[in-house]
Amino acid sequence: MALVIGNSDYANVAELKNPYNDAQGMSEKLEDLGFDVVTGLDLSLRDMRQTVRAFIKKLDGADLALFFYAGHGIQVNGENYLVPVDAQLSSHLDLDFEALPANLVLNAMEQSTKVNLVFLDACRNNPFTENLARSMGTRSSAVGRGLAKIGSGVGSLVSFATQPGNVALDGDGKNSPFTSALIKHLGTPGQDITRDLVMVRRDVLEATKGQQVPWDNSSLTGEVILKALEVVEPPEEKKPTINPQIELTYWDSIKSGQNAAYFETYLSRYPEGQFADIARIRIDEIKAKAESDKVRQAKPDTTAEITYWQTIQNSTRTEMFESYLGRYPNGIYADLAQLKIQSIKSQAEAEARRKAQVEAEAQTIASAASSSPERTATKPDDEITVAALTPDETPSTASPAPVTLLSPEELATALQTELNRVGCSVGRVDGDWGNRSRQALRTYGREAGIDLASLDPDPAILDQLKKSTGRVCPLTCGRNQELKNGRCVATRTPEPSSNSDKPSTKTKTADSCPNNPSVYGNKVIGKAHGMARQTLSHPCGRKLVCRGNRSSWVLTCNWL
């Protein structure tokens, strides 16, 4: 939006010849630059106020506001006033009633628009100043020569025809030197307004031979370009005519190729060709395949190593895994092979210790039984040598088995094997830790006097089981079986007597039971330091209860 006012035909002072022409010239220039221009020529005070009001109403939503004034202007006490054509100004009291304050327009612009440009060509030699000075007497110094400096808000630029306090020349031509330079340079394509004003200042200095120096006060925060630089695009080159038959023949010759260069050459020759999209897809496919082949070739082939491992993974010989490590020291299964070697060695050591303990226990039992009369009455073929689990302690000669790292399946298999060994049957050893395995572990804990925190596989429970050298869980006989000499044997059914219709039954009596049941208890149970209370059935038919003696490792048994 632009407001242009030019006052030349003054009623009470001499006429100015150029402001009317200056305003017309600026209006045409601004319209060419795309401004919506409000123009006022030779305006009275009433007309000036109405024109300014119409301009201010149009500022809502404007990107830029511009105000140009040519005519008489006056400064009193540092304030600038624009003088309408009907002003008399015979006294300083007439200023507020006959002149328009310049700040009235500038303040309204700054309140409505972010970018504001003000051009004042009103610094001419002014007869109104003489009248005001005479009327003010001793205060005549308050009437200044030319216009006073105007402070601008952020985003505003105020340009004067000459520096503050000086008088601008009206010029000899159709327009004043200042306005002529504005019309010439304002809106240079692609050029900032500050650069435009530099060129205006040069022209005015040259035209006035250095007597008049245009001056401006700017608080703009960015470049203001009134006319964009037109970019002239070069004419498009005429594309050569493409023969469809030649393009089709070319495509048929390369479409099965596996080299991306074929399709890149096609695209360079026919960038908008019929098969351009397909050519780009083929290029992507060929490059992707080449990258995949490169990665696959860089990756080592592990097929032989995997096959080797699958061949030995279930072996129980350490040399198999040592051979694997020798061939593949940094192989996929190197860590697992090390664990396998440790596990096999640990199991071998544990088995050797167990056999040694079993042999030692067997010798001890044999020595104890040889001193008992009962020993001679029992046939060697019928006796059973078993040992009890030591729940809390092991003989001082036994050394703890080294800790081994087993997989969950290996740990379950080892526990099942040990539970079967101590008489707590889990059935088939398959590594599947089910209800029967948990029940067997519960029975073991109850019979051994151990409180188990969990019935799941645990390495600590496995170590405790390995310390046992004999049966822990009591032997349970099935239907039509009876416990005899530590074994379950079939119950004998007596043959029917020829002298009786009912079959005779043989009842056991206590007459055949020994006086001292401890011998039998020690023979069946064996050494069990700190053993909990156990109940046994003697082959004679009576039951006995045995308790361990911590000091002598000898069981004391009593008949029930």
Side-chain angles (χ1 to χ4, degrees):
M1 288 298 303
L3 171 62
V4 177
I5 296 177
N7 289 335
S8 290
D9 189 14
Y10 283 90
N12 300 303
V13 294
E15 179 182 1
L16 295 174
K17 64 176 183 177
N18 285 337
Y20 187 95
N21 298 330
D22 292 340
Q24 284 187 324
M26 281 297 296
S27 294
E28 294 175 358
K29 175 69 174 182
L30 294 175
E31 288 176 353
D32 290 342
L33 294 176
F35 280 85
D36 183 357
V37 183
V38 176
T39 304
L41 302 173
D42 292 335
L43 300 179
S44 65
L45 177 61
R46 179 181 178 184
D47 293 337
M48 284 185 71
R49 288 184 175 275
Q50 290 179 346
T51 304
V52 170
R53 177 177 293 178
F55 167 70
I56 292 173
K57 287 181 179 180
K58 290 186 175 183
L59 290 182
D60 187 21
D63 297 324
L64 183 148
L66 186 147
F67 173 45
F68 173 84
Y69 175 77
H72 279 307
I74 190 171
Q75 65 153 311
V76 178
N77 290 326
E79 292 291 333
N80 295 317
Y81 295 88
L82 307 179
V83 182
V85 295
D86 60 348
Q88 294 183 357
L89 299 180
S90 58
S91 169
H92 71 281
L93 298 177
D94 296 334
L95 276 173
D96 294 332
F97 301 98
E98 297 182 8
L100 182 72
N103 281 336
L104 175 67
V105 183
L106 183 58
N107 291 340
M109 292 168 63
E110 291 179 345
Q111 291 176 8
S112 303
T113 314
K114 293 183 179 180
V115 181
N116 300 283
L117 305 177
V118 177
F119 301 93
L120 299 177
D121 193 359
C123 308
R124 294 169 172 81
N125 190 14
N126 192 345
F128 288 109
T129 59
E130 299 176 3
N131 297 337
L132 290 177
R134 284 195 299 270
S135 68
M136 296 179 69
T138 58
R139 293 176 295 161
S140 62
S141 60
V143 180
R145 189 167 181 262
L147 293 183
K149 179 180 179 180
I150 297 177
S152 60
V154 176
S156 297
L157 180 145
V158 180
S159 178
F160 298 89
T162 189
Q163 62 265 46
N166 286 351
V167 176
L169 303 177
D170 202 29
D172 297 329
K174 179 181 178 181
N175 300 109
S176 71
F178 180 64
T179 302
S180 295
L182 280 177
I183 294 173
K184 179 180 178 182
H185 296 293
L186 201 65
T188 301
Q191 185 167 278
D192 179 53
I193 185 67
T194 56
R195 182 63 184 169
D196 291 345
L197 293 179
V198 170
M199 299 176 72
V200 168
R201 189 175 297 115
R202 289 177 180 175
D203 283 8
V204 173
L205 282 169
E206 183 179 357
T208 62
K209 298 181 180 180
Q211 297 181 50
Q212 180 178 334
V213 183
W215 177 89
D216 58 76
N217 179 29
S218 173
S219 61
L220 296 175
T221 58
E223 289 187 339
V224 177
I225 300 174
L226 298 181
K227 185 175 182 180
L229 182 64
E230 296 181 1
V231 179
V232 179
E233 296 183 358
E236 294 184 2
E237 295 183 2
K238 186 177 181 181
K239 296 181 180 179
T241 304
I242 297 175
N243 188 323
Q245 187 60 40
I246 296 177
E247 179 188 357
L248 179 59
T249 303
Y250 188 96
W251 176 257
D252 287 339
S253 65
I254 69 167
K255 63 182 181 182
S256 300
Q258 298 300 319
N259 192 328
Y262 295 157
F263 302 97
E264 290 171 349
T265 304
Y266 169 84
L267 289 174
S268 65
R269 181 173 296 185
Y270 304 104
E272 303 297 333
Q274 305 176 57
F275 310 100
D277 293 338
I278 302 176
R280 295 185 183 93
I281 294 173
R282 290 289 292 125
I283 291 173
D284 292 341
E285 289 177 348
I286 293 172
K287 290 183 177 180
K289 183 178 181 300
E291 187 67 24
S292 177
D293 293 343
K294 183 179 178 180
V295 173
R296 186 170 61 254
Q297 291 173 2
K299 185 177 180 181
D301 187 5
T302 58
T303 304
E305 179 186 355
I306 294 173
T307 304
Y308 190 99
W309 177 259
Q310 291 174 346
T311 304
I312 69 168
Q313 62 181 348
N314 296 322
S315 176
T316 58
R317 298 170 58 189
T318 57
E319 56 267 25
M320 291 292 189
F321 301 100
E322 291 170 351
S323 174
Y324 168 84
L325 290 173
R327 181 173 296 185
Y328 306 104
N330 298 316
I332 303 173
Y333 309 101
D335 293 339
L336 186 56
Q338 294 283 3
L339 294 176
K340 281 283 192 178
I341 292 172
Q342 294 177 13
S343 175
I344 293 171
K345 289 181 177 180
S346 299
Q347 290 178 5
E349 292 173 0
E351 182 64 20
R353 286 195 300 272
R354 188 187 68 79
K355 289 181 178 179
Q357 291 174 358
V358 169
E359 291 176 359
E361 293 293 339
Q363 292 177 2
T364 303
I365 294 172
S367 299
S370 62
S371 61
S372 172
E374 298 260 339
R375 179 71 178 88
T376 58
T378 306
K379 293 182 180 181
D381 294 339
D382 295 334
E383 67 180 24
I384 300 174
T385 302
V386 295
L389 173 69
T390 303
D392 300 320
E393 301 181 16
T394 59
S396 58
T397 59
S399 60
V403 178
T404 58
L405 299 176
L406 301 178
S407 66
E409 184 177 355
E410 290 174 335
L411 179 59
T413 301
L415 280 170
Q416 289 175 336
T417 301
E418 291 299 322
L419 286 170
N420 279 345
R421 184 180 64 79
V422 298
C424 303
S425 176
V426 298
R428 185 165 62 93
V429 177
D430 54 5
D432 184 9
W433 194 258
N435 291 331
R436 186 166 181 180
S437 297
R438 290 185 176 87
Q439 182 62 37
L441 183 58
R442 181 185 292 109
T443 304
Y444 161 75
R446 183 181 67 250
E447 295 297 331
I450 299 174
D451 292 332
L452 299 175
S454 172
L455 296 179
D456 293 327
D458 188 277
I461 298 176
L462 178 60
D463 291 342
Q464 187 68 25
L465 278 166
K466 288 181 177 181
K467 296 175 184 178
S468 303
T469 57
R471 175 181 289 275
V472 175
C473 297
L475 185 61
T476 303
C477 298
R479 180 185 296 179
N480 298 326
Q481 288 184 332
E482 61 180 358
L483 181 64
K484 185 175 183 181
N485 295 330
R487 296 180 180 177
C488 290
V489 297
T491 303
R492 295 181 180 180
T493 304
E495 297 180 1
S497 174
S498 58
N499 298 325
S500 174
D501 295 334
K502 295 181 180 181
S504 62
T505 58
K506 182 178 179 181
T507 59
K508 297 181 180 180
T509 65
D511 296 340
S512 60
C513 296
N515 294 327
N516 185 6
S518 297
V519 175
Y520 177 79
N522 277 278
K523 181 181 70 174
V524 174
I525 298 176
K527 289 185 178 181
H529 184 54
M531 188 65 189
R533 177 179 179 273
Q534 285 203 41
T535 301
L536 303 176
S537 294
H538 195 275
C540 70
R542 292 186 63 181
K543 290 186 178 181
L544 62 155
V545 61
C546 298
R547 294 178 179 83
N549 188 320
R550 290 183 179 272
S551 61
S552 62
W553 285 13
V554 176
L555 293 174
T556 301
C557 303
N558 296 302
W559 295 112
L560 292 178

